[in-house]
Structure formats: structure tokens, C-alpha cells
Amino acid sequence: MATEEFTETSGNDESAALSVQAAAAVAYYPLAPGYQVNVRRGPSSTSQLIKVLPQGSSVPIRCQTRGETVSGPCGTTDIWDSIAPGQYVSDAYVKTGSSGFVAVRCSG
């Protein structure tokens, strides 16, 4: 599992503690075997392509949102996984073991 470094930017210790707790709760899930997966700016296959994840990658799911319906090796779904701010992958390519939400809904 990857570790992340957190830097406190405000003087609010309680806020920083909550941010660290939220980050610690992020779970990593493997991509469907044999697939490279596009990372998009938003929850749509027409959204800007940011990068392509190599086969065998695992992704952190920070939150999930509904978007374009996509069919892939893990099913057909309109759920998109936020793996970093402004970076989404279709849940149809992520082995979460569920056809529904496995993380909190993205706000906004």
C-alpha cells in the first residue's frame, strides 16, 4: 500500500487530523487483469485524457460519483472512481467486488 505525506497548511490541528483520517480510510483496488485504463478529468469517456494506467495497477478510490455508463470487464456501470483530485476512472475497469458504491460519494 502506498503512503502519502501530508503537510498542514493551516493552523487548525483538528482539520489536519480529519484530513489524515480521511486519507487513511482510502482503500486501494486492482484494475481488471490485462487492461490499461484511461484516467479522465471528469466522469465521462469524452472528458480530457490525463494519463493511462498500466496493466496490473491498483488505484485508491477517494470517492465515487455517477457519470457516463460504461461497459467493461467488471460490468456495466455509471459509477466513476475519483483516484485523485480531478482524476477519474470508470468503475467498469476496477475490481471492487461490488456493483454499487464502495466509497463515499464525491461532493460537488
Side-chain angles (χ1 to χ4, degrees):
M1 182 176 280
T3 58
E4 296 183 31
E5 181 177 323
F6 294 93
T7 304
E8 185 177 343
T9 57
S10 71
N12 187 338
D13 289 337
E14 182 178 328
S15 176
L18 291 175
S19 295
V20 170
Q21 287 174 349
V26 171
Y28 282 72
Y29 296 90
L31 298 180
Y35 287 86
Q36 295 178 321
V37 176
N38 292 331
V39 178
R40 301 280 180 179
R41 179 70 60 199
S44 166
S45 64
T46 59
S47 188
Q48 178 187 0
L49 178 65
I50 296 174
K51 61 184 173 183
V52 179
L53 299 173
Q55 293 181 31
S57 295
S58 289
V59 294
I61 299 180
R62 300 172 59 252
C63 63
Q64 294 178 298
T65 191
R66 294 203 183 274
E68 175 186 357
T69 299
V70 174
S71 292
C74 299
T76 299
T77 184
D78 65 349
I79 297 173
W80 286 72
D81 306 327
S82 173
I83 62 170
Q87 296 185 25
Y88 294 86
V89 296
S90 171
D91 199 57
Y93 289 88
V94 181
K95 292 184 65 174
T96 63
S98 173
S99 60
F101 287 88
V102 297
V104 297
R105 299 287 285 268
C106 299
S107 59

